[in-house]
Amino acid sequence: MSNQSYRDSQFLDGLSGEELFSMQIGLTYRDFLVLPGFIDFNPSEVELETRFTKNIKLKRPFVSSPMDTVTESSMAIAQALMGGIGIIHYNNTIDQQVSEVSKVKRFENGFISDPVVLGPKNTLHDLDHIKETQGFTGIPITQDGTRHSKLIGIVTNRDIDFERDRSIPVERVMTTEVITGKAGITLKEANDIIKKEKIGKLPILDKDGKLVSLVSRSDLKKNKDFPDSSKDENKRLRCGAAVSTLPESRERVAALYEAGVDVIIIDSAQGNSIYQIEMLQFIKANFKNLEVVGGNVVTRGQAENLIRAGADGLRIGMGPGSICITQDTMAVGRAQATAVYQTAAHAAKYDVPVIADGGISNIGDIANALAIGASACMMGFMFAGTSEAPGEYFYENGIRLKKYRGMASIEAMKAGGDKRYFNEGQKVKVAQGVSGSVVDRGSILNFIPYLSLGLRLSFQDMGFRTVQDLHKGLREGKLRFERRSESAQAQGSVHSLYSYSAPSLRAE
């Protein structure tokens, strides 16, 4: 009997996705299990590549949420390096959000077409400020301190490390004999020069000696260490940003577009509104090739409206997050698994991917979300305690923690988080979220490989090698499910022990 026939010879136990979710009761990820399939491949053969939007692919189906305790540039950089994508929050000014996006887009490049430069009269204080705010050194010095003027030197850490007087001009310490490349050089040729000359930065000049672009040695190492990085067509890390439906967001989108943002998330707690539809249509009409994710939605009708308005992806979830109390406070929302299945089934008719947002606290939840139609998972709780998340660690009862708050918590709304709710600026605030804390989870650079391996093992148990095959199995009824009673859920977790040590979600 061939492997193919082993795979096909199924006695169809359980329910199809359509049968499971046709029940008139809302289901969460814990209310069902995927029945095991046939294994004829190793976990290493599982491919986690997926679509985030119609035109943006990711190597891993992980997205960090646009929350002010989850995603700024450090998180977005780490997510992109590991094959996912981060969405910069908008609890800030336009300039601040643009700055965060710019840090991501400049972090890793082929040719850096807009390098930071200084003039000869700038001081070491200016260099220190660049290092502090943008995280890099090795600054080209041009005649007038602008891009595309004549290169006269370069300043690196070696030139300034032992200078105590930070008020001196850079012309006194800069290296003037600079190894350069000629405009038109290929990236491989530039990299060969960097390796041969053992230099950190290679300025690219035109025939008049004017600076055209810059190539960085550190990018070579990043390309080697992070082969699955999410990159745009110019080899820059991908990055998303959230905006509200308020009028000021039109100006915000324009500024983010100029900064090179790859995708805009229209961030509304209830996305089925005339305000979001108008914002979607505005963005699609005015910003060429800018992908837009609409949401949040939880029903087929909501999904239909946003898809018709031009959404390239949908964000699914209303109230399932660990810090969200919308369902209790507003009595509106939907159980998350049901919401994901129903919207994904409808959006698939238009080839629009959906992102499961909320209710994810372990690898099994991620696997279940993908199994019922999601193309990616947006997570706040899972990433909030990592070293790349904004905020400082603190200790409580000897446990190392970080702050985590819902954007509809009173604390976050005071900082601007209420822009995602239609409250018309009322002085009285009705909280739909809480503030709390989460345990230290280490670095994203270690945490995502842990999540990825767990997800590959789950796919192996299901009998599917790719997200696309998994979704095909769902549509064709070959992927089978079973409802779980409360006692089955209890039995499926740790039970009957006198004591035990729980596995940590902290990546070492």
Side-chain angles (χ1 to χ4, degrees), residues 183-423:
I185 191 174
T186 67
L187 184 59
K188 182 180 184 305
E189 290 169 337
N191 290 339
D192 288 342
I193 294 174
I194 288 174
K195 291 177 184 176
K196 179 182 177 182
E197 301 295 340
K198 297 180 172 62
I199 55 177
K201 299 285 196 304
L202 180 70
I204 308 299
L205 310 182
D206 65 14
K207 59 183 177 58
D208 298 319
K210 294 181 178 180
L211 184 65
V212 173
S213 60
L214 192 69
V215 179
S216 172
R217 180 185 183 87
S218 62
D219 289 346
L220 298 179
K221 188 174 186 302
K222 291 168 197 149
N223 286 329
K224 180 180 178 182
D225 292 344
F226 304 104
D228 294 331
S229 297
S230 303
K231 297 179 182 178
D232 63 20
E233 61 277 5
N234 296 314
K235 305 298 182 183
R236 301 177 301 178
L237 294 183
R238 286 202 182 276
C239 177
V243 303
S244 73
T245 57
L246 297 178
E248 69 95 21
S249 284
R250 299 194 175 200
E251 181 183 350
R252 189 178 284 263
V253 171
L256 292 166
Y257 181 74
E258 287 300 314
V261 75
D262 295 283
V263 56
I264 291 291
I265 303 281
I266 303 181
D267 189 36
S268 298
Q270 210 279 58
N272 187 31
S273 71
I274 188 61
Y275 313 110
Q276 178 150 160
I277 289 171
E278 289 175 350
M279 180 61 75
L280 262 168
Q281 292 171 336
F282 168 78
I283 296 173
K284 297 307 292 184
N286 290 280
F287 302 98
K288 185 179 180 182
N289 299 325
L290 181 57
E291 298 285 286
V292 186
V293 173
N296 281 31
V297 296
V298 293
T299 71
R300 291 173 181 254
Q302 289 179 303
E304 175 72 18
N305 284 343
L306 298 192
I307 291 171
R308 285 179 177 242
D312 300 298
L314 294 175
R315 185 178 169 197
I316 312 304
M318 191 173 180
S322 62
I323 40 69
C324 188
I325 56 174
T326 294
Q327 293 182 9
D328 284 344
T329 305
M330 302 290 120
V332 178
R334 196 172 200 181
Q336 182 65 351
T338 299
V340 170
Y341 176 82
Q342 297 294 356
T343 53
H346 186 74
K349 300 174 184 177
Y350 299 90
D351 196 32
V352 172
V354 306
I355 302 108
D357 175 28
I360 291 172
S361 59
N362 59 31
I363 294 167
D365 294 336
I366 299 171
N368 272 348
L370 297 175
I372 59 176
S375 291
C377 294
M378 178 174 281
M379 291 170 274
F381 166 77
M382 291 287 279
F383 296 141
T386 60
S387 54
E388 289 81 6
E392 299 297 324
Y393 286 108
F394 63 96
Y395 285 88
E396 187 174 300
N397 299 323
I399 306 297
R400 197 169 189 243
L401 306 169
K402 257 192 180 180
K403 183 179 291 186
Y404 178 47
R405 67 188 188 189
M407 295 296 276
S409 64
I410 293 295
E411 187 179 346
M413 285 197 290
K414 288 179 179 178
D418 55 352
K419 287 182 284 189
R420 74 193 302 263
Y421 300 86
F422 304 117
N423 65 5

Side-chain angles (χ1 to χ4, degrees), residues 64 70-82 84-88 100-101 104 230 237-240 388:
S64 63
V70 178
T71 309
E72 290 181 348
S73 57
S74 293
M75 175 64 74
I77 287 168
Q79 289 287 344
L81 286 174
M82 299 308 297
I85 193 169
I87 312 300
I88 306 291
E100 293 299 307
V101 169
V104 183
S230 303
L237 294 183
R238 286 202 182 276
C239 177
E388 289 81 6

Side-chain angles (χ1 to χ4, degrees), residues 25 35 90 124 137 187 257 281 335 358 385 407 417 437 456 500 508:
I25 185 171
L35 296 184
Y90 61 103
L124 301 195
T137 57
L187 184 59
Y257 181 74
Q281 292 171 336
M407 295 296 276
S437 56
R456 288 188 171 98
Y500 72 97
E508 300 297 341

